């Protein structure tokens, strides 16, 4: 009898041990998967990986800021040059408070003011996922800013001015879907890092949230529902754009193409829809009054357009749904700032590749073929013929061309 009881007890303990380990294993698995999802939502890999490199998260990508270039550090689990030796608390301080391991401040090129909206649990899960990636030994000299900006102590002031700590708070008068969207947009998605106008110190102008900003030669348009593209897009149009990089109005290129490819296309249908619902609910300024262009310039621009552009974008600017953008409606074309139009005409654009559409159609470069006056004329035509965006001067075309020539990425 006794031995049977003992045996039974032993079996029981063994079973408990196994199921304990198993449920711990399942829990770990769930944390890693949740962390992987959040790491995509937060697009950590885009800055912390050199584009095209097969060593994800190993750092070394230069990040252009208004003040100079910072190089994103190695966040693989390598103990010496990555974050392998960091405690969970240290990682949380970096992500949610902008504090480095040595106690100094991080620059906001690392979007911690947004990541602060994530919870402690979120950061733990991100850690769990990052612990599963391959450790890479890669020391990265991060700070290449000129004096005095290279003095991290300057960030103390910045921090007081622009950083509000504290995780995302649910607004109980809004739907669960709205709140999920708000969390993703304002937290891990850090959409405002590019779409919110900045002060001269690079802080967000909080009274102009998501109302558009120009960075690295790209215009990140107003994404409130006031005057940007979203004034006309439905929530479904927006969800489709975030999921696939295309919709009936626009195709994502450049910085946004990368955001779609590496981040939003990897989120669930429910989550991109939630972001769309939240953004459609953000009000913004209404369009500015009309402005007209010189009729000779318009005529010259129209001729160039028919000759070089209409084969793809169509004579009426309507393009081809999901393939060639509708220029008559594109927000990037019809906004006050002509930077994007000039850049695209001079340099061309490759739209984003996603799992569904592996090679997006490309826009050829015309910079080699058109002089500054011609670029300005065709840009003026596409902005002013169907819409009412201000004309573009030869000088603006010249400046943009010079900028593109000096830009490395
Ligand atoms: C927009 C670009 C960008 C994104 C997105 C980004 N980072 Fe960073 N990160 C940086 C830059 C640049 C630095 C260096 C800032 C500094 O040293 O002041 C940095 C610093 C860090 C540091 C501090 C490392 C050290 O050695 O001090 C950690 C940890 C980190 N990032 C983790 C993450 C994680 C995790 C994510 C996703 C949740 C993420 N980052 C997303 C650009 C980015
Ligand atoms: C790294 C900077 C960056 C981040 C982060 C970013 N965007 Fe963008 N976004 C841009 C740029 C630049 C454009 C213009 C793209 C173009 O010209 O094709 C753009 C375009 C868009 C457009 C469409 C504009 C149009 O009419 O073609 C939408 C909608 C949008 N972004 C939403 C978002 C959302 C939602 C997020 C957060 C998940 C986000 N963006 C994060 C830079 C960014
Ligand atoms: C071979 C076909 C083709 C021709 C010719 C062409 N385009 Fe495009 N264009 C495209 C495609 C494809 C895109 C989308 C690329 C992307 O994803 O941003 C695009 C994008 C654009 C955009 C950006 C729209 C947006 O939503 O951000 C502008 C502006 C533009 N083209 C203007 C022109 C002008 C002006 C000409 C003539 C000088 C021209 N295109 C000729 C195919 C073409």
């Amino acid at each position: 009898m006794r031995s049977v009881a003992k045996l039974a007890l032993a079996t029981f303990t063994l079973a408990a041990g196994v199921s304990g380990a198993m449920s711990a294993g399942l829990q770990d698995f769930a944390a890693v998967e949740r962390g992987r999802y959040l790491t995509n939502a937060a697009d950590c890999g885009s800055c912390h990986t050199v584009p095209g490199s097969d060593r994800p998260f190993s750092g070394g990508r230069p990040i252009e800021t208004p003040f100079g270039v910072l190089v994103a550090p190695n966040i693989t689990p390598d103990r010496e040059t990555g974050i392998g030796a960091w405690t969970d608390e240290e990682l949380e301080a970096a992500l949610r408070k902008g504090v480095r391991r040595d106690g100094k401040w991080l620059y906001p090129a690392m979007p911690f003011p947004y990541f602060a909206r994530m919870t402690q649990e979120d950061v733990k899960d991100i850690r769990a996922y990052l612990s599963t990636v391959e450790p890479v030994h890669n020391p990265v000299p991060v700070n290449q800013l000129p004096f005095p900006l290279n003095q991290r102590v300057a960030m103390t002031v910045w921090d007081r001015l622009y950083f509000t700590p504290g995780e995302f708070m649910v607004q109980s008068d809004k739907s669960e879907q709205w709140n999920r969207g708000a969390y993703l947009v304002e937290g891990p998605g850090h959409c405002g890092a590019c779409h919110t106008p900045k002060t001269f110190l690079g802080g967000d102008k909080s009274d102009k949230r998501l109302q558009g900003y120009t960075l690295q030669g790209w215009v990140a348009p107003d994404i409130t529902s006031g005057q940007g593209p979203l004034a006309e897009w439905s929530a479904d149009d927006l969800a489709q754009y975030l999921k696939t990089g295309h919709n009936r109005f626009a195709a994502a290129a450049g910085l946004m193409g990368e955001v779609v490819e590496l981040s939003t296309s990897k989120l669930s249908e429910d989550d991109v829809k939630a972001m769309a619902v939240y953004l459609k609910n953000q009000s913004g300024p209404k369009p500015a009054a009309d402005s007209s262009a010189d009729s000779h310039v318009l005529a010259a621009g129209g001729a160039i357009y028919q000759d070089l552009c209409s084969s793809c974008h169509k004579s009426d600017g309507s393009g081809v749904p999901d393939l060639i953008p509708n220029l008559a409606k594109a927000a990037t074309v019809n906004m006050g700032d002509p930077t994007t139009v000039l850049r695209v005409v001079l340099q061309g654009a490759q739209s984003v590749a996603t799992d569904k559409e592996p090679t997006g159609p490309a826009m050829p470069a015309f910079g080699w073929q058109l002089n500054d006056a011609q670029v300005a004329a065709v840009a003026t035509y596409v902005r002013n013929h169907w819409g009412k965006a201000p004309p573009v001067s030869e000088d603006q075309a010249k400046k943009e061309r010079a900028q593109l020539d000096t830009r490395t990425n």
Side-chain angles (χ1 to χ4, degrees), residues 135-179:
V136 177
H137 186 89
N138 183 32
V140 175
V142 170
N143 195 341
Q144 306 186 359
L145 297 181
F147 182 84
L149 293 165
N150 60 356
Q151 304 300 298
R152 286 181 185 272
V153 64
M155 282 303 301
T156 318
V157 178
W158 192 97
D159 216 74
R160 297 253 164 80
L161 283 171
Y162 302 115
F163 177 48
T164 324
E167 67 191 51
F168 175 72
M169 302 299 266
V170 170
Q171 289 202 20
S172 52
D173 58 333
K174 303 282 193 196
S175 70
E176 201 177 308
Q177 190 184 34
W178 186 99
N179 275 295

Side-chain angles (χ1 to χ4, degrees), residues 2 30 62 110 125 147 220 250 256 259 270 314 317 332 353 367 371 385:
R2 278 187 67 157
M110 160 74 183
D125 292 346
F147 182 84
M256 190 62 201
V259 170
D270 285 351
K314 300 292 161 66
T332 42
N371 65 28
H385 180 67

Side-chain angles (χ1 to χ4, degrees), residues 13-78:
T13 328
L14 191 68
V18 167
S19 82
M22 246 170 73
S23 76
L26 283 177
Q27 258 169 26
D28 289 352
F29 179 77
V32 168
E33 284 311 303
R34 213 175 151 266
R36 181 200 308 273
Y37 192 84
L38 280 166
T39 302
N40 286 335
D43 213 0
C44 317
S46 121
C47 293
H48 286 279
T49 309
V50 172
S53 142
D54 57 357
R55 305 192 304 171
F57 306 107
S58 65
R61 180 173 194 180
I63 308 293
E64 235 183 272
T65 77
F67 315 113
V69 171
L70 279 172
V71 182
N74 179 350
I75 57 167
T76 68
D78 182 57

Side-chain angles (χ1 to χ4, degrees), residues 5-20:
K6 229 180 177 174
L7 189 67
L9 188 67
T11 323
F12 175 76
T13 328
L14 191 68
V18 167
S19 82

